[in-house]
């Protein structure tokens, strides 16, 4: 009976939503926020640029497990970009924001697609350490790919 109760407890804990996990904001700002917990902004990823549809401003990103993040991914090129990453299947997704409209999910998006210039903001918690890749479909050989490493806190 104890084994059955332990299994039920474990199943119940696994069902608890993980979108409210927060980590300490350890910025050394002058404002004393009294240990307020907040999301960290990742450097923006910009796909394409004026005069170079295959430009990428940053290829590699480093995150810390347990930390919530806000990541803006922006299209500035004149191509259709299909942004793929296995990261989304390995985080606790909070929301995706496009033009102040929020998308809340119970699972990961398959990809983000940019048919025009614009920004998609992704908010998530890096769930566990690991190595992930990102790429723009069919444009990897043009340099539109990179890595995302999540390390231990």
């Amino acid at each position: 009976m104890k084994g059955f109760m332990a299994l039920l407890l474990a199943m119940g804990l696994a069902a608890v939503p993980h979108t409210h996990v927060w980590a300490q904001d350890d910025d050394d700002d002058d404002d004393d926020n009294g240990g307020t917990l907040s999301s960290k902004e990742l450097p923006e990823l910009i796909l394409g640029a004026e005069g170079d549809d295959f430009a990428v401003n940053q290829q590699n990103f480093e995150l810390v497990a347990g930390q919530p993040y806000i990541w803006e991914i922006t299209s500035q090129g004149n191509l259709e970009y299909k942004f793929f990453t296995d990261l989304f299947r390995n985080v606790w997704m909070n929301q995706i924001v496009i033009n102040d409209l929020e998308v809340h999910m119970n699972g990961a998006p398959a990809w983000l697609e940019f048919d025009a210039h614009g920004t998609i903001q992704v908010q998530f918690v890096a769930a566990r350490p690991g190595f992930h890749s990102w790429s723009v479909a069919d444009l990897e050989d043009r340099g539109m790919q990179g890595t995302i490493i999540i390390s231990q806190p």
Side-chain angles (χ1 to χ4, degrees):
M1 187 67 166
K2 284 184 181 179
F4 180 71
M5 294 302 288
L7 176 62
L8 285 176
L9 177 61
M11 289 173 52
L13 290 175
V16 173
H18 298 288
T19 57
H20 299 291
V21 175
W22 302 105
Q24 178 81 26
D25 180 5
D26 53 18
D27 287 347
D28 292 329
D29 298 336
D30 288 338
D31 62 320
D32 182 16
N33 59 14
T36 302
L37 306 176
S38 62
S39 296
K40 293 202 180 265
E41 289 189 28
L42 283 175
E44 180 179 18
L45 173 59
I46 302 173
L47 306 173
E50 187 174 324
D52 185 356
D53 291 333
F54 307 104
V56 174
N57 70 320
Q58 182 166 336
Q59 290 184 302
N60 303 313
F61 297 86
E62 294 183 21
L63 290 70
V64 176
Q67 173 66 49
Y69 290 97
I70 296 173
W71 191 18
E72 290 188 346
I73 303 168
T74 299
S75 168
Q76 291 184 352
N78 296 309
L79 300 175
E80 178 178 291
Y81 299 114
K82 289 185 179 178
F83 177 84
F84 285 87
T85 180
D86 59 338
L87 174 74
F88 294 155
R89 299 213 181 278
N90 292 283
V91 299
W92 297 321
M93 189 64 68
N94 184 10
Q95 65 183 3
I96 294 177
V97 181
I98 305 167
N99 294 329
D100 294 323
L101 302 172
E102 299 175 4
V103 179
H104 297 266
M105 295 146 301
N106 188 11
W111 68 82
L112 303 178
E113 187 168 328
F114 296 87
D115 294 331
H117 292 194
T119 298
I120 297 175
Q121 183 184 81
V122 184
Q123 297 179 10
F124 61 90
V125 176
R128 59 184 168 267
F131 177 88
H132 306 283
S133 61
W134 69 264
S135 64
V136 175
D138 301 324
L139 299 176
E140 297 90 348
D141 61 339
R142 302 294 300 262
M144 299 192 88
Q145 63 179 336
T147 62
I148 304 162
I149 298 172
I150 302 176
S151 62
Q152 288 283 0

